[in-house]
Amino acid sequence: MFGLALFCAAMAGPIWGEVVNYPAPDGTAKSKLVIYSTLDNHLAAPLIAAFQAGHPGVAVRYEDLLAGEISARVVAETEAGKPTADFVFSSAMDMQIKLANDGYAQAVEVPAARNWPQWANWQDTAFAMTFEPGVLVYHKPSFPNGPPQSRLELMDWLRHASPEMHGKIGTYDIERSAVGYLFLARDTEHFPDIWSLLREMAAAGLQTYPTSQDIIDRVADGRLVLGYNVLGSYAADQARNAPDLGLVLLRDFTVVVSRVALVPRAAGSPALGAEFLDFLMSKQGQTLLSEKLRMPAVSLEVSGANSGRAMQAALGDQLRPVSVSPGVLVYLDQAKRQRLFRLWRAALAPK
């Protein structure tokens, strides 16, 4: 099984998020890099330490925020004529690309961009940093013969599940989770029977949650037996220490999303933002993401098992990556969102 990693875009937390200051290693603090990110601070810390090792005079202010808060702050601060973050890193692809498309990001010249996959770079303003499949997480003791391997198998299992399995299926609440909404929107394009699947889940007592961690914790201890469309971040990392937690990439298709990075147009220190982007796109940065954070790398220079290159070679058309392009902006269209929400509520309504 490939190592996967990912952190949900809709993390629980106070509206102002968590702010952590990393002093300059050499004690001078000649400059300060400001980062807005959905990545949990403890996951970001190794990246910041590695960057500061090569930039000992740079202090870092790291703000761990929800995806929607990041987008709103960048827009509000830019429109007010104030400096905003120097670097923005978020798992909400659609919101990041909207910032770039609406002129809130600046084009950045970094060496790695010349060899970056075409699908992962939009006009040198928005770059995919990771290659993160959505997975089915499962409670191993509940599936001695293995879990369902496709959506059709999952539907069949739901129809024939024993009564004690009722209420033990989980997925995102798409009205509270940006990444959950994106996964479901992509499902509707690849799987015509998605609403039938959701109705079967609802009949089996589907539970919905705002974050990956909510689902993974419950699957790991058996309160849930399955979690559908879960970002693999904590799942892969925690599966190493949670023997009852398993994960599988459904073989009919697997949607792949990415964390997207950009340097805002109103960055106070855009050169520093570009340097951090250059670091994350370098072989060192991508290897750290892949091996330390368990986030599959996009860079073609990284070819270990936990890399997009290795996954695509092994799984081919099973993987359906979301391209970094204005095409994802359709998911932010309010009419489309409200229609998807209506269909979602109808599928989950008690019968």
Side-chain angles (χ1 to χ4, degrees):
M1 174 63 62
F2 290 109
L4 306 174
L6 206 255
F7 188 67
C8 177
M11 294 181 295
I15 190 144
W16 55 86
E18 178 186 8
V19 178
V20 180
N21 288 296
Y22 295 84
D26 69 3
T28 63
K30 297 173 184 174
S31 53
K32 178 182 283 189
L33 169 68
V34 179
I35 299 173
Y36 296 167
S37 174
T38 59
L39 185 64
D40 197 17
N41 172 63
H42 82 274
L43 293 173
L47 296 174
I48 294 170
F51 175 75
Q52 287 185 312
H55 300 77
V58 177
V60 177
R61 176 183 172 88
Y62 187 86
E63 301 200 29
D64 171 4
L65 300 163
L66 299 177
E69 294 166 356
I70 289 174
S71 181
R73 280 188 62 178
V74 170
V75 170
E77 289 163 354
T78 302
E79 293 302 319
K82 299 177 180 179
T84 188
D86 305 312
F87 183 82
V88 173
F89 191 38
S90 172
S91 51
M93 296 185 71
D94 46 6
M95 294 182 184
Q96 288 286 86
I97 294 166
K98 180 170 173 55
L99 286 175
N101 188 66
D102 289 352
Y104 292 99
Q106 58 182 279
V108 181
E109 291 186 16
V110 292
R114 291 191 290 270
N115 300 314
W116 214 242
Q118 187 174 0
W119 67 266
N121 174 6
W122 187 65
Q123 296 187 351
D124 289 339
T125 60
F127 300 86
M129 295 287 108
T130 61
F131 191 86
E132 305 182 67
V135 303
L136 184 75
V137 292
Y138 65 99
H139 183 242
K140 289 181 179 179
S142 300
F143 294 92
N145 298 317
Q149 298 290 319
S150 70
R151 287 162 182 81
L152 290 177
E153 286 186 16
L154 177 56
M155 289 175 70
D156 185 66
W157 181 87
L158 289 165
R159 291 182 185 121
H160 299 97
S162 57
E164 60 264 28
M165 294 297 181
H166 189 83
K168 292 191 173 184
I169 316 300
T171 193
Y172 295 112
D173 179 344
I174 69 162
E175 297 188 64
R176 293 192 290 165
S177 168
V179 74
Y181 171 83
L182 181 57
F183 273 135
L184 184 65
R186 296 295 284 189
D187 275 357
T188 64
E189 297 172 5
H190 296 299
F191 186 59
D193 283 338
I194 185 61
W195 302 114
S196 297
L197 173 58
L198 284 169
R199 284 192 289 270
E200 294 290 351
M201 288 184 182
L206 179 67
Q207 307 293 311
T208 63
Y209 304 92
T211 74
S212 298
Q213 194 61 49
D214 289 322
I215 302 168
I216 292 166
D217 284 344
R218 288 164 173 80
V219 174
D221 64 20
R223 284 175 288 169
L224 297 176
V225 297
L226 284 176
Y228 176 71
N229 255 2
V230 176
L231 283 168
S233 78
Y234 285 165
D237 190 46
Q238 292 175 42
R240 293 182 292 180
N241 300 311
D244 291 342
L245 180 65
L247 55 154
V248 63
L249 282 70
L250 294 177
R251 64 177 178 230
D252 48 345
F253 70 89
T254 296
V255 174
V256 180
V257 298
S258 301
R259 294 180 187 275
V260 174
L262 57 83
V263 176
R265 171 167 56 88
S269 301
L272 273 182
E275 286 186 48
F276 193 75
L277 175 65
D278 186 40
F279 163 73
L280 276 191
M281 294 175 72
S282 70
K283 186 173 183 179
Q284 180 191 8
Q286 287 281 292
T287 300
L288 267 175
L289 281 169
S290 177
E291 297 181 0
K292 183 75 172 178
L293 277 67
R294 313 302 298 164
M295 295 183 178
V298 169
S299 173
L300 298 178
E301 288 190 283
V302 179
S303 57
N306 196 40
S307 69
R309 183 176 182 177
M311 280 190 249
Q312 288 179 308
L315 301 174
D317 290 342
Q318 176 183 333
L319 300 176
R320 310 289 171 85
V322 180
S323 295
V324 179
S325 75
V328 302
L329 299 184
V330 67
Y331 304 126
L332 292 176
D333 178 80
Q334 286 305 305
K336 182 179 179 66
R337 288 177 68 85
Q338 292 308 314
R339 179 176 181 274
L340 200 67
F341 289 159
R342 285 194 300 272
L343 291 169
W344 160 262
R345 294 170 195 143
L348 270 55
K351 296 297 186 285

